[in-house]
PDB file of all heavy atoms in Angstrom:
ATOM      1  N   GLY A   1      44.561 -51.276  43.350  1.00  0.00           N
ATOM      2  CA  GLY A   1      45.159 -50.483  42.285  1.00  0.00           C
ATOM      3  C   GLY A   1      44.179 -50.153  41.182  1.00  0.00           C
ATOM      4  O   GLY A   1      44.231 -49.061  40.592  1.00  0.00           O
ATOM      5  N   ALA A   2      43.260 -51.080  40.880  1.00  0.00           N
ATOM      6  CA  ALA A   2      42.253 -50.818  39.852  1.00  0.00           C
ATOM      7  C   ALA A   2      41.350 -49.658  40.242  1.00  0.00           C
ATOM      8  O   ALA A   2      40.938 -48.866  39.384  1.00  0.00           O
ATOM      9  CB  ALA A   2      41.421 -52.078  39.615  1.00  0.00           C
ATOM     10  N   VAL A   3      41.059 -49.531  41.541  1.00  0.00           N
ATOM     11  CA  VAL A   3      40.237 -48.409  42.007  1.00  0.00           C
ATOM     12  C   VAL A   3      40.989 -47.099  41.844  1.00  0.00           C
ATOM     13  O   VAL A   3      40.445 -46.104  41.350  1.00  0.00           O
ATOM     14  CB  VAL A   3      39.817 -48.621  43.473  1.00  0.00           C
ATOM     15  CG1 VAL A   3      39.000 -47.433  43.975  1.00  0.00           C
ATOM     16  CG2 VAL A   3      39.020 -49.911  43.622  1.00  0.00           C
ATOM     17  N   TYR A   4      42.253 -47.090  42.245  1.00  0.00           N
ATOM     18  CA  TYR A   4      43.060 -45.877  42.082  1.00  0.00           C
ATOM     19  C   TYR A   4      43.214 -45.515  40.599  1.00  0.00           C
ATOM     20  O   TYR A   4      43.188 -44.338  40.238  1.00  0.00           O
ATOM     21  CB  TYR A   4      44.436 -46.063  42.719  1.00  0.00           C
ATOM     22  CG  TYR A   4      44.434 -46.044  44.224  1.00  0.00           C
ATOM     23  CD1 TYR A   4      44.889 -47.129  44.961  1.00  0.00           C
ATOM     24  CD2 TYR A   4      43.976 -44.933  44.918  1.00  0.00           C
ATOM     25  CE1 TYR A   4      44.888 -47.112  46.348  1.00  0.00           C
ATOM     26  CE2 TYR A   4      43.971 -44.905  46.303  1.00  0.00           C
ATOM     27  CZ  TYR A   4      44.425 -45.999  47.007  1.00  0.00           C
ATOM     28  OH  TYR A   4      44.413 -45.968  48.389  1.00  0.00           O
ATOM     29  N   GLY A   5      43.396 -46.523  39.762  1.00  0.00           N
ATOM     30  CA  GLY A   5      43.494 -46.255  38.333  1.00  0.00           C
ATOM     31  C   GLY A   5      42.222 -45.646  37.780  1.00  0.00           C
ATOM     32  O   GLY A   5      42.265 -44.724  36.953  1.00  0.00           O
ATOM     33  N   THR A   6      41.078 -46.136  38.236  1.00  0.00           N
ATOM     34  CA  THR A   6      39.795 -45.582  37.796  1.00  0.00           C
ATOM     35  C   THR A   6      39.658 -44.125  38.214  1.00  0.00           C
ATOM     36  O   THR A   6      39.256 -43.268  37.424  1.00  0.00           O
ATOM     37  CB  THR A   6      38.638 -46.405  38.386  1.00  0.00           C
ATOM     38  OG1 THR A   6      38.789 -47.775  38.012  1.00  0.00           O
ATOM     39  CG2 THR A   6      37.301 -45.887  37.872  1.00  0.00           C
ATOM     40  N   LEU A   7      40.000 -43.839  39.458  1.00  0.00           N
ATOM     41  CA  LEU A   7      39.907 -42.460  39.945  1.00  0.00           C
ATOM     42  C   LEU A   7      40.873 -41.549  39.194  1.00  0.00           C
ATOM     43  O   LEU A   7      40.511 -40.423  38.818  1.00  0.00           O
ATOM     44  CB  LEU A   7      40.198 -42.416  41.445  1.00  0.00           C
ATOM     45  CG  LEU A   7      39.184 -43.103  42.363  1.00  0.00           C
ATOM     46  CD1 LEU A   7      39.679 -43.096  43.803  1.00  0.00           C
ATOM     47  CD2 LEU A   7      37.824 -42.431  42.271  1.00  0.00           C
ATOM     48  N   LEU A   8      42.099 -42.010  38.965  1.00  0.00           N
ATOM     49  CA  LEU A   8      43.103 -41.180  38.297  1.00  0.00           C
ATOM     50  C   LEU A   8      42.703 -40.864  36.863  1.00  0.00           C
ATOM     51  O   LEU A   8      42.746 -39.702  36.437  1.00  0.00           O
ATOM     52  CB  LEU A   8      44.456 -41.884  38.331  1.00  0.00           C
ATOM     53  CG  LEU A   8      45.583 -41.182  37.569  1.00  0.00           C
ATOM     54  CD1 LEU A   8      45.889 -39.835  38.206  1.00  0.00           C
ATOM     55  CD2 LEU A   8      46.832 -42.056  37.530  1.00  0.00           C
ATOM     56  N   VAL A   9      42.309 -41.886  36.107  1.00  0.00           N
ATOM     57  CA  VAL A   9      41.975 -41.677  34.695  1.00  0.00           C
ATOM     58  C   VAL A   9      40.751 -40.779  34.555  1.00  0.00           C
ATOM     59  O   VAL A   9      40.724 -39.859  33.725  1.00  0.00           O
ATOM     60  CB  VAL A   9      41.751 -43.024  33.993  1.00  0.00           C
ATOM     61  CG1 VAL A   9      41.254 -42.807  32.568  1.00  0.00           C
ATOM     62  CG2 VAL A   9      43.037 -43.834  33.966  1.00  0.00           C
ATOM     63  N   ASN A  10      39.727 -41.008  35.362  1.00  0.00           N
ATOM     64  CA  ASN A  10      38.520 -40.192  35.251  1.00  0.00           C
ATOM     65  C   ASN A  10      38.741 -38.774  35.746  1.00  0.00           C
ATOM     66  O   ASN A  10      38.180 -37.819  35.188  1.00  0.00           O
ATOM     67  CB  ASN A  10      37.375 -40.856  36.021  1.00  0.00           C
ATOM     68  CG  ASN A  10      36.756 -42.005  35.267  1.00  0.00           C
ATOM     69  OD1 ASN A  10      35.956 -41.813  34.350  1.00  0.00           O
ATOM     70  ND2 ASN A  10      37.133 -43.219  35.635  1.00  0.00           N
ATOM     71  N   ALA A  11      39.567 -38.616  36.794  1.00  0.00           N
ATOM     72  CA  ALA A  11      39.902 -37.262  37.245  1.00  0.00           C
ATOM     73  C   ALA A  11      40.673 -36.520  36.163  1.00  0.00           C
ATOM     74  O   ALA A  11      40.434 -35.326  35.913  1.00  0.00           O
ATOM     75  CB  ALA A  11      40.709 -37.316  38.537  1.00  0.00           C
ATOM     76  N   GLY A  12      41.598 -37.220  35.508  1.00  0.00           N
ATOM     77  CA  GLY A  12      42.314 -36.605  34.397  1.00  0.00           C
ATOM     78  C   GLY A  12      41.397 -36.270  33.241  1.00  0.00           C
ATOM     79  O   GLY A  12      41.525 -35.207  32.612  1.00  0.00           O
ATOM     80  N   LYS A  13      40.463 -37.151  32.980  1.00  0.00           N
ATOM     81  CA  LYS A  13      39.493 -36.899  31.916  1.00  0.00           C
ATOM     82  C   LYS A  13      38.662 -35.655  32.206  1.00  0.00           C
ATOM     83  O   LYS A  13      38.432 -34.816  31.321  1.00  0.00           O
ATOM     84  CB  LYS A  13      38.586 -38.130  31.773  1.00  0.00           C
ATOM     85  CG  LYS A  13      37.593 -38.068  30.638  1.00  0.00           C
ATOM     86  CD  LYS A  13      36.819 -39.376  30.569  1.00  0.00           C
ATOM     87  CE  LYS A  13      35.784 -39.344  29.448  1.00  0.00           C
ATOM     88  NZ  LYS A  13      35.021 -40.618  29.377  1.00  0.00           N
ATOM     89  N   THR A  14      38.205 -35.513  33.428  1.00  0.00           N
ATOM     90  CA  THR A  14      37.424 -34.334  33.813  1.00  0.00           C
ATOM     91  C   THR A  14      38.270 -33.066  33.752  1.00  0.00           C
ATOM     92  O   THR A  14      37.836 -32.036  33.226  1.00  0.00           O
ATOM     93  CB  THR A  14      36.860 -34.519  35.237  1.00  0.00           C
ATOM     94  OG1 THR A  14      36.025 -35.673  35.271  1.00  0.00           O
ATOM     95  CG2 THR A  14      36.049 -33.306  35.660  1.00  0.00           C
ATOM     96  N   PHE A  15      39.499 -33.130  34.284  1.00  0.00           N
ATOM     97  CA  PHE A  15      40.374 -31.952  34.291  1.00  0.00           C
ATOM     98  C   PHE A  15      40.727 -31.516  32.874  1.00  0.00           C
ATOM     99  O   PHE A  15      40.635 -30.332  32.530  1.00  0.00           O
ATOM    100  CB  PHE A  15      41.640 -32.257  35.080  1.00  0.00           C
ATOM    101  CG  PHE A  15      42.676 -31.173  34.997  1.00  0.00           C
ATOM    102  CD1 PHE A  15      42.527 -29.998  35.729  1.00  0.00           C
ATOM    103  CD2 PHE A  15      43.787 -31.317  34.184  1.00  0.00           C
ATOM    104  CE1 PHE A  15      43.477 -28.986  35.646  1.00  0.00           C
ATOM    105  CE2 PHE A  15      44.742 -30.309  34.094  1.00  0.00           C
ATOM    106  CZ  PHE A  15      44.584 -29.149  34.829  1.00  0.00           C
ATOM    107  N   PHE A  16      41.117 -32.469  32.043  1.00  0.00           N
ATOM    108  CA  PHE A  16      41.507 -32.121  30.681  1.00  0.00           C
ATOM    109  C   PHE A  16      40.332 -31.599  29.869  1.00  0.00           C
ATOM    110  O   PHE A  16      40.470 -30.658  29.087  1.00  0.00           O
ATOM    111  CB  PHE A  16      42.129 -33.332  29.979  1.00  0.00           C
ATOM    112  CG  PHE A  16      43.455 -33.746  30.530  1.00  0.00           C
ATOM    113  CD1 PHE A  16      43.837 -35.080  30.555  1.00  0.00           C
ATOM    114  CD2 PHE A  16      44.334 -32.805  31.045  1.00  0.00           C
ATOM    115  CE1 PHE A  16      45.056 -35.462  31.070  1.00  0.00           C
ATOM    116  CE2 PHE A  16      45.565 -33.179  31.571  1.00  0.00           C
ATOM    117  CZ  PHE A  16      45.924 -34.519  31.586  1.00  0.00           C
ATOM    118  N   SER A  17      39.150 -32.185  30.048  1.00  0.00           N
ATOM    119  CA  SER A  17      37.982 -31.735  29.284  1.00  0.00           C
ATOM    120  C   SER A  17      37.527 -30.349  29.712  1.00  0.00           C
ATOM    121  O   SER A  17      36.994 -29.590  28.898  1.00  0.00           O
ATOM    122  CB  SER A  17      36.832 -32.737  29.443  1.00  0.00           C
ATOM    123  OG  SER A  17      36.431 -32.834  30.803  1.00  0.00           O
ATOM    124  N   GLU A  18      37.747 -30.009  30.993  1.00  0.00           N
ATOM    125  CA  GLU A  18      37.387 -28.673  31.469  1.00  0.00           C
ATOM    126  C   GLU A  18      38.422 -27.622  31.063  1.00  0.00           C
ATOM    127  O   GLU A  18      38.068 -26.499  30.715  1.00  0.00           O
ATOM    128  CB  GLU A  18      37.242 -28.682  32.990  1.00  0.00           C
ATOM    129  CG  GLU A  18      36.034 -29.445  33.498  1.00  0.00           C
ATOM    130  CD  GLU A  18      35.983 -29.494  35.014  1.00  0.00           C
ATOM    131  OE1 GLU A  18      36.970 -29.091  35.665  1.00  0.00           O
ATOM    132  OE2 GLU A  18      34.948 -29.940  35.549  1.00  0.00           O
ATOM    133  N   SER A  19      39.704 -27.992  31.125  1.00  0.00           N
ATOM    134  CA  SER A  19      40.773 -27.023  30.878  1.00  0.00           C
ATOM    135  C   SER A  19      41.196 -26.956  29.417  1.00  0.00           C
ATOM    136  O   SER A  19      41.573 -25.892  28.925  1.00  0.00           O
ATOM    137  CB  SER A  19      41.991 -27.369  31.751  1.00  0.00           C
ATOM    138  OG  SER A  19      41.644 -27.432  33.114  1.00  0.00           O
ATOM    139  N   PHE A  20      41.152 -28.087  28.738  1.00  0.00           N
ATOM    140  CA  PHE A  20      41.589 -28.132  27.335  1.00  0.00           C
ATOM    141  C   PHE A  20      40.530 -28.874  26.507  1.00  0.00           C
ATOM    142  O   PHE A  20      40.733 -30.025  26.116  1.00  0.00           O
ATOM    143  CB  PHE A  20      42.938 -28.850  27.223  1.00  0.00           C
ATOM    144  CG  PHE A  20      43.977 -28.325  28.170  1.00  0.00           C
ATOM    145  CD1 PHE A  20      44.241 -28.992  29.368  1.00  0.00           C
ATOM    146  CD2 PHE A  20      44.682 -27.173  27.882  1.00  0.00           C
ATOM    147  CE1 PHE A  20      45.201 -28.521  30.244  1.00  0.00           C
ATOM    148  CE2 PHE A  20      45.649 -26.690  28.759  1.00  0.00           C
ATOM    149  CZ  PHE A  20      45.902 -27.368  29.945  1.00  0.00           C
ATOM    150  N   PRO A  21      39.386 -28.243  26.248  1.00  0.00           N
ATOM    151  CA  PRO A  21      38.281 -28.950  25.578  1.00  0.00           C
ATOM    152  C   PRO A  21      38.619 -29.456  24.182  1.00  0.00           C
ATOM    153  O   PRO A  21      38.010 -30.415  23.715  1.00  0.00           O
ATOM    154  CB  PRO A  21      37.171 -27.890  25.534  1.00  0.00           C
ATOM    155  CG  PRO A  21      37.863 -26.582  25.709  1.00  0.00           C
ATOM    156  CD  PRO A  21      39.049 -26.852  26.575  1.00  0.00           C
ATOM    157  N   ASP A  22      39.594 -28.829  23.509  1.00  0.00           N
ATOM    158  CA  ASP A  22      39.947 -29.261  22.160  1.00  0.00           C
ATOM    159  C   ASP A  22      41.045 -30.314  22.140  1.00  0.00           C
ATOM    160  O   ASP A  22      41.259 -30.965  21.106  1.00  0.00           O
ATOM    161  CB  ASP A  22      40.415 -28.056  21.326  1.00  0.00           C
ATOM    162  CG  ASP A  22      39.316 -27.021  21.139  1.00  0.00           C
ATOM    163  OD1 ASP A  22      38.136 -27.440  21.106  1.00  0.00           O
ATOM    164  OD2 ASP A  22      39.640 -25.823  21.039  1.00  0.00           O
ATOM    165  N   LEU A  23      41.738 -30.498  23.253  1.00  0.00           N
ATOM    166  CA  LEU A  23      42.899 -31.378  23.266  1.00  0.00           C
ATOM    167  C   LEU A  23      42.775 -32.529  24.253  1.00  0.00           C
ATOM    168  O   LEU A  23      43.678 -33.365  24.326  1.00  0.00           O
ATOM    169  CB  LEU A  23      44.159 -30.576  23.625  1.00  0.00           C
ATOM    170  CG  LEU A  23      44.549 -29.426  22.694  1.00  0.00           C
ATOM    171  CD1 LEU A  23      45.735 -28.681  23.274  1.00  0.00           C
ATOM    172  CD2 LEU A  23      44.882 -29.960  21.308  1.00  0.00           C
ATOM    173  N   TRP A  24      41.668 -32.595  25.001  1.00  0.00           N
ATOM    174  CA  TRP A  24      41.633 -33.518  26.122  1.00  0.00           C
ATOM    175  C   TRP A  24      41.723 -34.977  25.691  1.00  0.00           C
ATOM    176  O   TRP A  24      42.317 -35.816  26.384  1.00  0.00           O
ATOM    177  CB  TRP A  24      40.407 -33.282  26.987  1.00  0.00           C
ATOM    178  CG  TRP A  24      39.101 -33.720  26.396  1.00  0.00           C
ATOM    179  CD1 TRP A  24      38.278 -33.008  25.592  1.00  0.00           C
ATOM    180  CD2 TRP A  24      38.458 -34.988  26.597  1.00  0.00           C
ATOM    181  NE1 TRP A  24      37.163 -33.737  25.265  1.00  0.00           N
ATOM    182  CE2 TRP A  24      37.253 -34.960  25.868  1.00  0.00           C
ATOM    183  CE3 TRP A  24      38.786 -36.138  27.312  1.00  0.00           C
ATOM    184  CZ2 TRP A  24      36.382 -36.042  25.825  1.00  0.00           C
ATOM    185  CZ3 TRP A  24      37.914 -37.206  27.283  1.00  0.00           C
ATOM    186  CH2 TRP A  24      36.721 -37.150  26.544  1.00  0.00           C
ATOM    187  N   LEU A  25      41.200 -35.323  24.499  1.00  0.00           N
ATOM    188  CA  LEU A  25      41.302 -36.707  24.043  1.00  0.00           C
ATOM    189  C   LEU A  25      42.755 -37.095  23.782  1.00  0.00           C
ATOM    190  O   LEU A  25      43.196 -38.208  24.113  1.00  0.00           O
ATOM    191  CB  LEU A  25      40.470 -36.907  22.780  1.00  0.00           C
ATOM    192  CG  LEU A  25      38.948 -36.984  22.981  1.00  0.00           C
ATOM    193  CD1 LEU A  25      38.243 -37.042  21.639  1.00  0.00           C
ATOM    194  CD2 LEU A  25      38.581 -38.196  23.825  1.00  0.00           C
ATOM    195  N   PHE A  26      43.528 -36.167  23.201  1.00  0.00           N
ATOM    196  CA  PHE A  26      44.941 -36.445  22.949  1.00  0.00           C
ATOM    197  C   PHE A  26      45.717 -36.539  24.266  1.00  0.00           C
ATOM    198  O   PHE A  26      46.617 -37.378  24.407  1.00  0.00           O
ATOM    199  CB  PHE A  26      45.536 -35.339  22.064  1.00  0.00           C
ATOM    200  CG  PHE A  26      44.881 -35.231  20.715  1.00  0.00           C
ATOM    201  CD1 PHE A  26      43.915 -34.269  20.472  1.00  0.00           C
ATOM    202  CD2 PHE A  26      45.218 -36.098  19.692  1.00  0.00           C
ATOM    203  CE1 PHE A  26      43.312 -34.158  19.231  1.00  0.00           C
ATOM    204  CE2 PHE A  26      44.622 -36.006  18.449  1.00  0.00           C
ATOM    205  CZ  PHE A  26      43.660 -35.035  18.212  1.00  0.00           C
ATOM    206  N   LEU A  27      45.377 -35.692  25.221  1.00  0.00           N
ATOM    207  CA  LEU A  27      46.051 -35.736  26.510  1.00  0.00           C
ATOM    208  C   LEU A  27      45.741 -37.029  27.262  1.00  0.00           C
ATOM    209  O   LEU A  27      46.624 -37.601  27.908  1.00  0.00           O
ATOM    210  CB  LEU A  27      45.645 -34.519  27.348  1.00  0.00           C
ATOM    211  CG  LEU A  27      46.083 -33.157  26.802  1.00  0.00           C
ATOM    212  CD1 LEU A  27      45.481 -32.032  27.630  1.00  0.00           C
ATOM    213  CD2 LEU A  27      47.603 -33.060  26.796  1.00  0.00           C
ATOM    214  N   MET A  28      44.504 -37.485  27.170  1.00  0.00           N
ATOM    215  CA  MET A  28      44.154 -38.747  27.808  1.00  0.00           C
ATOM    216  C   MET A  28      44.892 -39.913  27.158  1.00  0.00           C
ATOM    217  O   MET A  28      45.369 -40.833  27.836  1.00  0.00           O
ATOM    218  CB  MET A  28      42.643 -38.975  27.724  1.00  0.00           C
ATOM    219  CG  MET A  28      41.827 -38.127  28.680  1.00  0.00           C
ATOM    220  SD  MET A  28      42.229 -38.445  30.412  1.00  0.00           S
ATOM    221  CE  MET A  28      41.802 -40.159  30.539  1.00  0.00           C
ATOM    222  N   ALA A  29      45.000 -39.883  25.824  1.00  0.00           N
ATOM    223  CA  ALA A  29      45.740 -40.937  25.130  1.00  0.00           C
ATOM    224  C   ALA A  29      47.210 -40.923  25.536  1.00  0.00           C
ATOM    225  O   ALA A  29      47.813 -41.985  25.757  1.00  0.00           O
ATOM    226  CB  ALA A  29      45.603 -40.752  23.616  1.00  0.00           C
ATOM    227  N   ALA A  30      47.785 -39.727  25.662  1.00  0.00           N
ATOM    228  CA  ALA A  30      49.183 -39.615  26.083  1.00  0.00           C
ATOM    229  C   ALA A  30      49.367 -40.140  27.504  1.00  0.00           C
ATOM    230  O   ALA A  30      50.363 -40.812  27.805  1.00  0.00           O
ATOM    231  CB  ALA A  30      49.630 -38.160  25.988  1.00  0.00           C
ATOM    232  N   LEU A  31      48.407 -39.858  28.391  1.00  0.00           N
ATOM    233  CA  LEU A  31      48.477 -40.355  29.757  1.00  0.00           C
ATOM    234  C   LEU A  31      48.479 -41.881  29.785  1.00  0.00           C
ATOM    235  O   LEU A  31      49.301 -42.506  30.461  1.00  0.00           O
ATOM    236  CB  LEU A  31      47.298 -39.814  30.568  1.00  0.00           C
ATOM    237  CG  LEU A  31      47.130 -40.375  31.987  1.00  0.00           C
ATOM    238  CD1 LEU A  31      48.303 -39.969  32.864  1.00  0.00           C
ATOM    239  CD2 LEU A  31      45.813 -39.892  32.607  1.00  0.00           C
ATOM    240  N   PHE A  32      47.581 -42.472  29.023  1.00  0.00           N
ATOM    241  CA  PHE A  32      47.486 -43.937  28.996  1.00  0.00           C
ATOM    242  C   PHE A  32      48.742 -44.566  28.415  1.00  0.00           C
ATOM    243  O   PHE A  32      49.312 -45.505  28.973  1.00  0.00           O
ATOM    244  CB  PHE A  32      46.260 -44.351  28.189  1.00  0.00           C
ATOM    245  CG  PHE A  32      46.201 -45.823  27.907  1.00  0.00           C
ATOM    246  CD1 PHE A  32      46.092 -46.736  28.942  1.00  0.00           C
ATOM    247  CD2 PHE A  32      46.269 -46.304  26.616  1.00  0.00           C
ATOM    248  CE1 PHE A  32      46.049 -48.093  28.697  1.00  0.00           C
ATOM    249  CE2 PHE A  32      46.228 -47.659  26.356  1.00  0.00           C
ATOM    250  CZ  PHE A  32      46.122 -48.559  27.400  1.00  0.00           C
ATOM    251  N   ILE A  33      49.198 -44.042  27.266  1.00  0.00           N
ATOM    252  CA  ILE A  33      50.377 -44.615  26.613  1.00  0.00           C
ATOM    253  C   ILE A  33      51.607 -44.458  27.507  1.00  0.00           C
ATOM    254  O   ILE A  33      52.416 -45.380  27.655  1.00  0.00           O
ATOM    255  CB  ILE A  33      50.609 -43.949  25.239  1.00  0.00           C
ATOM    256  CG1 ILE A  33      49.455 -44.297  24.294  1.00  0.00           C
ATOM    257  CG2 ILE A  33      51.938 -44.385  24.640  1.00  0.00           C
ATOM    258  CD1 ILE A  33      49.498 -43.539  22.983  1.00  0.00           C
TER     259      ILE A  33
END
């Protein structure tokens, strides 16, 4: 599960930073919370 979590969070980080460069930090925080 830790491996899947690593892949999911980093994939989300890459997707959000590419698609929403101004909001990706907030989206990542929302995903985690």
Side-chain angles (χ1 to χ4, degrees):
V3 178
Y4 287 121
T6 304
L7 293 174
L8 175 64
V9 174
N10 282 282
K13 185 177 179 180
T14 300
F15 173 76
F16 292 147
S17 62
E18 290 177 351
S19 304
F20 309 99
D22 297 329
L23 300 175
W24 72 272
L25 285 174
F26 299 99
L27 295 173
M28 285 299 299
L31 173 65
F32 170 63
I33 294 172

